[in-house]
Amino acid sequence: LEENTISSPMPGKVVKILVKPGDQVKAGETVVVVSAMKMESEYKVKKDRLIKEIKVKEGDTVSANQPLIIIE
């Protein structure tokens, strides 16, 4: 898996996007919430990163491993 992409391991629906391009995020910060199999999963950055691009919007249905957010 690419180090600069945040994706969901399973298909689901984007519930909330907590960042926008250009945002500087800190390690452990949640960037996107995806609902899959009746559970909401929060995806966080592992280290301080810059949000480069957001590939989805809230309400989008996503497939497994589809890139959601590109980070730098």
Side-chain angles (χ1 to χ4, degrees):
L1 201 64
E2 282 182 43
E3 184 64 23
N4 62 347
T5 307
I6 292 177
S7 57
S8 166
M10 52 192 156
K13 185 180 206 140
V14 178
V15 180
K16 198 154 188 51
I17 297 170
L18 301 155
V19 291
K20 56 191 185 311
D23 281 2
Q24 199 71 52
V25 290
K26 299 245 176 284
E29 217 175 298
T30 300
V31 292
V32 63
V33 181
V34 175
S35 171
M37 297 169 61
K38 299 187 172 59
M39 277 176 25
E40 288 194 0
S41 303
E42 294 188 357
Y43 293 94
K44 301 172 172 17
V45 286
K46 290 179 182 68
K47 34 183 148 43
D48 294 7
R49 294 300 191 107
L50 175 73
I51 303 296
K52 207 170 165 188
E53 191 186 342
I54 295 176
K55 305 282 240 180
V56 291
K57 52 189 191 306
E58 292 179 4
D60 279 4
T61 300
V62 295
S63 49
N65 300 315
Q66 174 184 338
L68 307 178
I69 297 180
I70 310 298
I71 51 182
E72 207 165 67

